[in-house]
């Protein structure tokens, strides 16, 4: 009886293994050429069925890791992961592609996708939809997106993605300046005037074309005034008056 039970277990295990192999075979038809299998996966990807496309592309990557379609499959996987919202897997695929293909002709696209994906990582679609300002959150991924687009525009200035990358850099810079101003204001309201002045100064120095520069200068003036740093206060006032004559000059203490 025990021997029969052992045989049943072995048969069951074998059937399970076969089921796994069969599943892999269903994803990639062994009777198809690599090009035909890719065409099927691309058709599904273009139709917007990203999860299914990812399954097929991963199966192709596994079956044809060194074939002529391998790099294109990897590029399509990057797009599919991005479109499906799988930020972590998309970034991992991008970094792997860059590491293994440092001279690939489509690296401009890969850096563009990394910028888009990092930008997407810091977005909250619900809050963005209802117009809630989320510049107060952690901006690490947004800063990385800026660096990604900077690599794109500086290394591949003739790329068809460069213009959009440049526009996104301007948008990101404004968001980062707004973030710094919120932090500076937070410090100011809690009496940490030196920290507030330093964050505001950072905006003036690194985001000088931002619309938040006048507010940053105003905050520098009030912070330096509270600290009794009259020379720095007057310097900030002069910069504000010269460059933004319409901006309101903050009140200062009588010291």
């Amino acid at each position: 009886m025990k021997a029969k039970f052992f045989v049943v277990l072995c048969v069951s295990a074998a059937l399970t293994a076969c089921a796994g192999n069969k599943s892999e075979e269903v994803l990639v038809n062994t009777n198809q050429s690599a090009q035909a299998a890719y065409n099927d996966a691309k058709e599904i990807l273009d139709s917007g069925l990203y999860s299914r496309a990812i399954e097929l592309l991963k199966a192709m990557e596994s079956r044809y890791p060194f074939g002529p379609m391998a790099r294109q499959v990897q590029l399509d996987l990057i797009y599919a992961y991005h479109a499906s919202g799988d930020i972590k897997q998309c970034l991992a695929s991008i970094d792997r592609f860059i590491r293994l293909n440092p001279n690939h002709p489509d690296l401009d696209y890969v850096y563009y996708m990394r910028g888009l994906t990092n930008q997407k990582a810091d977005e909250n679609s619900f809050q963005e939809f209802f117009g809630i300002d989320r510049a107060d959150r952690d901006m690490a991924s947004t800063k990385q997106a800026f660096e990604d687009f900077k690599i794109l525009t500086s290394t591949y200035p003739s790329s068809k993605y460069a213009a959009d990358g440049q526009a996104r850099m301007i948008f990101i810079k404004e968001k980062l300046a707004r973030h710094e101003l919120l932090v500076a204001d937070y410090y100011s309201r809690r009496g940490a005037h030196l920290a507030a002045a330093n964050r505001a100064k950072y905006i003036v120095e690194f985001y000088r074309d931002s619309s938040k520069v006048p507010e940053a200068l105003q905050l520098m003036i009030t912070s330096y005034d509270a600290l009794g740093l009259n020379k720095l206060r007057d310097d900030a006032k002069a910069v504000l008056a010269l460059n933004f004559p319409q901006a309101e000059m903050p009140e200062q203490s009588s010291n």
Side-chain angles (χ1 to χ4, degrees):
M1 187 67 181
K2 289 183 178 179
K4 290 183 178 179
F5 182 67
F6 177 74
V7 171
V8 170
L9 283 178
C10 290
V11 171
S12 176
L15 288 174
T16 301
C18 289
N21 292 336
K22 184 178 180 181
S23 175
E24 191 71 22
E25 289 175 4
V26 169
L27 288 176
V28 178
N29 188 338
T30 55
N31 294 323
Q32 279 185 311
S33 66
Q35 183 65 57
Y38 172 75
N39 290 343
D40 288 346
K42 186 66 165 60
E43 184 177 351
I44 291 173
L45 177 63
D46 291 342
S47 69
L49 300 174
Y50 302 120
S51 295
R52 178 59 177 168
I54 288 170
E55 291 178 350
L56 294 175
L57 290 167
K58 285 176 64 178
M60 274 204 69
E61 186 179 31
S62 176
R63 186 169 182 81
Y64 307 107
F66 307 111
M69 305 300 301
R71 299 295 176 268
Q72 185 58 52
V73 167
Q74 292 167 11
L75 291 170
D76 287 338
L77 267 172
I78 288 171
Y79 173 78
Y81 282 130
H82 175 84
S84 69
D86 193 337
I87 303 295
K88 183 177 180 180
Q89 193 58 54
C90 184
L91 290 174
S93 297
I94 287 171
D95 291 342
R96 178 172 175 266
F97 189 94
I98 293 172
R99 185 175 68 254
L100 296 178
N101 306 279
N103 299 309
H104 196 277
D106 290 327
L107 274 184
D108 60 329
Y109 168 76
V110 177
Y111 278 110
Y112 177 67
M113 289 301 296
R114 190 161 78 170
L116 292 181
T117 305
N118 274 311
Q119 191 175 8
K120 189 175 184 178
D122 274 347
E123 291 177 354
N124 182 309
S125 58
F126 178 84
Q127 290 169 325
E128 294 288 341
F129 180 79
F130 286 101
I132 300 173
D133 188 351
R134 295 297 299 142
D136 60 332
R137 65 187 168 213
D138 177 67
M139 305 294 282
S141 293
T142 300
K143 290 178 180 178
Q144 183 58 56
F146 184 88
E147 293 303 317
D148 295 331
F149 291 129
K150 186 177 180 180
I151 292 173
L152 166 66
T153 56
S154 61
T155 309
Y156 310 98
S158 300
S159 168
K160 64 181 179 180
Y161 306 105
D164 187 62
Q166 188 66 46
R168 289 177 182 276
M169 287 175 68
I170 294 171
F171 173 80
I172 290 173
K173 187 181 290 187
E174 188 69 15
K175 179 174 280 191
L176 292 174
R178 190 164 70 250
H179 168 74
E180 292 293 331
L181 191 62
L182 285 170
V183 175
D185 182 66
Y186 172 86
Y187 286 136
S188 178
R189 286 185 283 108
R190 282 155 181 77
H193 298 297
L194 182 58
N198 288 337
R199 297 301 284 254
K201 182 182 178 184
Y202 184 87
I203 297 171
V204 175
E205 291 180 346
F206 293 95
Y207 305 121
R208 61 185 61 186
D209 52 350
S210 166
S211 65
K212 300 302 177 183
V213 169
E215 294 175 68
L217 285 165
Q218 290 167 337
L219 189 53
M220 287 173 65
I221 293 168
T222 57
S223 297
Y224 288 140
D225 188 56
L227 292 166
L229 300 174
N230 296 342
K231 175 67 166 60
L232 292 176
R233 178 200 63 197
D234 292 343
D235 288 346
K237 287 176 64 176
V239 173
L240 180 65
L242 178 64
N243 294 280
F244 307 98
Q246 304 303 318
E248 182 180 349
M249 191 64 66
E251 295 182 5
Q252 60 187 69
S253 62
S254 56
N255 63 334

